[in-house]
Structures are given as C-alpha cells and as structure tokens.
Amino acid sequence: MFHYTVETTESLEQATQSLEQSLKEEKFGVLWQFDVKDTLQKKGFEFNQPFQVLEVCNPEEAQRVLSQNQLVGYFLPCKIVVYEDAGMTKIGMPKPTALIQMVEDESLNEIARDIENRMIASIDKSI
C-alpha cells in the first residue's frame, strides 16, 4: 500500500495537537496546516467533512535527501492528513518508501525507510 492510515476516537483537533507534539519529538515541524473544508467552502464549494493537510519537515533530513537527488523535492514537504470519516478521526500519510521509488535512486531507499518509520512512530504515538 502506498499509504499508512490509522483511526482514533479523538476529535480532529485533539488528534492534530497530539500529532504535532509527537512529530516535534522526532524533530519534524509543521510548516503549514491547510484546512480543506474551510478553503473549499470559502471558494463556494460544498464540502462538509473536516479535512486537514499538514505539511511537515525535518530540515536535516530534507537537506540530506535533496543533496543526493533534487527530484525528491517534488515530494517535500511530507504530508500528513487528519480527517473525519464515518464517526472516526483518521490520520494518514503517503509512505516515503513508496514515493521514493518514483525517482529510481536506490541509494535513497534506506533514508526513506528511516523517515517513514519515524513518521509512523509519531502517528502511532499520537493516537
């Protein structure tokens, strides 16, 4: 699967706050938080499902992968989504190991796996 997704009974706001804290522990910061519901409604589109996109970055890791292959920049910053679905809050992300396959540079696989494991640990810790 290209993604990692978990469910929690926490509210979207609680899940997002917990996630941000656990990401900080892995030296990932939230650069930007995009409220899809709010943005679409402001543009006149009906969308009533709470849906947040968090763009997260670990500057040291970004520098490391971009120094090896600038095509990785197409995937940066990393994205984590937090949304409500069928009464549950879901937290998910595209797996860095799946994305890195697109640049066809095997030297980056280990770095992607490490980043993925740390992001998954942050998600798991937040629920």
Side-chain angles (χ1 to χ4, degrees):
M1 290 174 52
F2 81 94
H3 67 96
Y4 179 78
T5 304
V6 297
E7 293 182 343
T8 180
T9 57
E10 290 185 341
S11 71
L12 186 132
E13 293 79 18
Q14 291 170 322
T16 302
Q17 287 176 347
S18 295
L19 177 61
E20 287 185 49
Q21 183 57 43
S22 62
L23 285 165
K24 282 181 189 175
E25 293 170 14
E26 287 291 339
K27 297 184 171 76
F28 286 91
V30 176
L31 303 175
W32 187 55
Q33 189 170 336
F34 176 57
D35 185 330
V36 175
K37 174 185 169 184
D38 184 54
T39 300
L40 290 177
Q41 288 180 346
K42 285 179 181 176
K43 300 285 183 184
F45 295 98
E46 285 235 8
F47 191 79
N48 295 315
Q49 178 181 340
F51 198 106
Q52 299 283 323
V53 178
L54 283 68
E55 293 198 342
V56 303
C57 182
N58 176 311
E60 182 179 344
E61 298 297 354
Q63 186 274 334
R64 187 165 77 150
V65 296
L66 286 170
S67 294
Q68 281 192 245
N69 190 323
Q70 291 185 355
L71 290 175
V72 177
Y74 289 26
F75 311 129
L76 299 180
C78 296
K79 301 221 181 343
I80 299 179
V81 297
V82 184
Y83 61 100
E84 291 181 6
D85 184 33
M88 297 292 290
T89 299
K90 293 188 178 183
I91 304 170
M93 67 175 201
K95 291 181 176 179
T97 55
L99 295 173
I100 209 70
Q101 297 303 311
M102 290 189 262
V103 298
E104 300 175 352
D105 184 343
E106 290 189 25
S107 70
L108 295 171
N109 289 345
E110 189 174 321
I111 296 170
R113 188 171 298 106
D114 176 58
I115 292 168
E116 180 176 304
N117 289 340
R118 290 165 54 203
M119 290 179 68
I120 286 173
S122 294
I123 290 171
D124 289 348
K125 188 175 181 180
S126 73
I127 59 171

